[in-house]
Amino acid sequence: MTIFSSIEHRVFDQVLVDDVCLAGEAWMGEIKKGQYFRIVDLEGNQAVDTLFISAENPVERYSATDTLTINQHIYLEKGTTLYSNHGRAIGVIHDDNCGRHDTLGGACSCESNTVRYAHETYPMHSCRNNFMYALAKHPIAQKHQLNVRHIGPNINFFMNVPVSSEGHLTFADGISAAGKYVEIKAEMDLIILISNCPQLNNPCNGYNPTKIQLIVHTGTEA
């Protein structure tokens, strides 16, 4: 499935992956160095919790601390280099028409839902549940011998988390819209694990989680 309007009518010569991840579900894939990974917010206002793990050495993975420290910026945007916990570049936000993305808010979990909202929200589905399920069941996780220890800091693509002058975080209404996208160029071979966020208790998904499109391509155009 290719949704040409979501990639601004550009037709890529070598599309290696073209998937749709349903609302609230997990997705896992691999990308080689030099390839491009595009996430399309198909219906708008959808948070996409994403982990990047080195395929060569899964101990090495995306680091929010290194990324923010080296870039000297609290938001991720076009041109931002993503760094690992070994201080190496793992990817670059090559293209983006959303504006900015969060890497401070973390991934929702049963425990954080309980603390932030109410004890009754504990059984609700969460991004951490998605991560754990994929790491336990997905063939890529089994191939690389991944487990819950490989869950580290994540990026919340399309998520709007304003930071106040006092340093407080707020989960606010999204700044994305239908067809907005972000595209990462891989600087090393990567494993990508996504939770298409199922959160219903704050406005990060507009209280209505929706599907996303995931495209891996070579960067050349037909």
Side-chain angles (χ1 to χ4, degrees), residues 12-42:
F12 298 115
D13 186 35
Q14 294 188 50
V15 175
L16 308 174
V17 175
D18 189 352
D19 289 343
V20 168
C21 181
L22 298 178
E25 297 296 320
W27 181 92
M28 201 166 191
E30 294 182 271
I31 180 173
K32 299 294 186 182
K33 180 179 179 180
Q35 293 177 351
Y36 296 80
F37 178 63
R38 180 173 288 220
I39 307 171
V40 185
D41 188 359
L42 290 175

Side-chain angles (χ1 to χ4, degrees), residues 69-181:
T69 300
I70 296 172
N71 285 284
Q72 291 290 290
H73 202 275
I74 60 173
Y75 300 116
L76 310 183
E77 56 193 13
K78 184 175 180 178
T80 298
T81 298
L82 310 178
Y83 288 92
S84 75
N85 55 339
H86 291 186
R88 297 200 301 158
I90 63 171
V92 176
I93 299 182
H94 167 76
D95 201 1
D96 171 63
N97 67 357
C98 177
R100 72 183 194 208
H101 308 269
D102 167 67
T103 191
L104 295 172
C108 61
S109 66
C110 296
E111 293 77 12
S112 66
N113 283 341
T114 300
V115 171
R116 289 171 177 161
Y117 309 112
H119 181 71
E120 291 74 20
T121 65
Y122 184 86
M124 296 179 74
H125 195 46
S126 71
C127 287
R128 186 168 177 83
N129 284 348
N130 273 340
F131 290 155
M132 291 191 294
Y133 183 82
L135 289 170
K137 299 292 185 179
H138 201 284
I140 291 175
Q142 295 172 5
K143 180 177 81 170
H144 292 279
Q145 299 182 314
L146 303 180
N147 55 49
V148 294
R149 292 186 178 90
H150 294 95
I151 299 176
N154 65 284
I155 298 173
N156 297 308
F157 287 113
F158 308 117
M159 190 168 169
N160 185 21
V161 184
V163 180
S164 72
S165 57
E166 294 79 23
H168 300 302
L169 304 181
T170 303
F171 297 100
D173 193 26
I175 58 175
S176 184
K180 295 290 187 181
Y181 64 83

Side-chain angles (χ1 to χ4, degrees), residues 54-65:
S54 167
E56 180 182 359
N57 176 22
V59 172
E60 184 173 15
R61 56 194 179 219
Y62 172 76
S63 167
T65 304

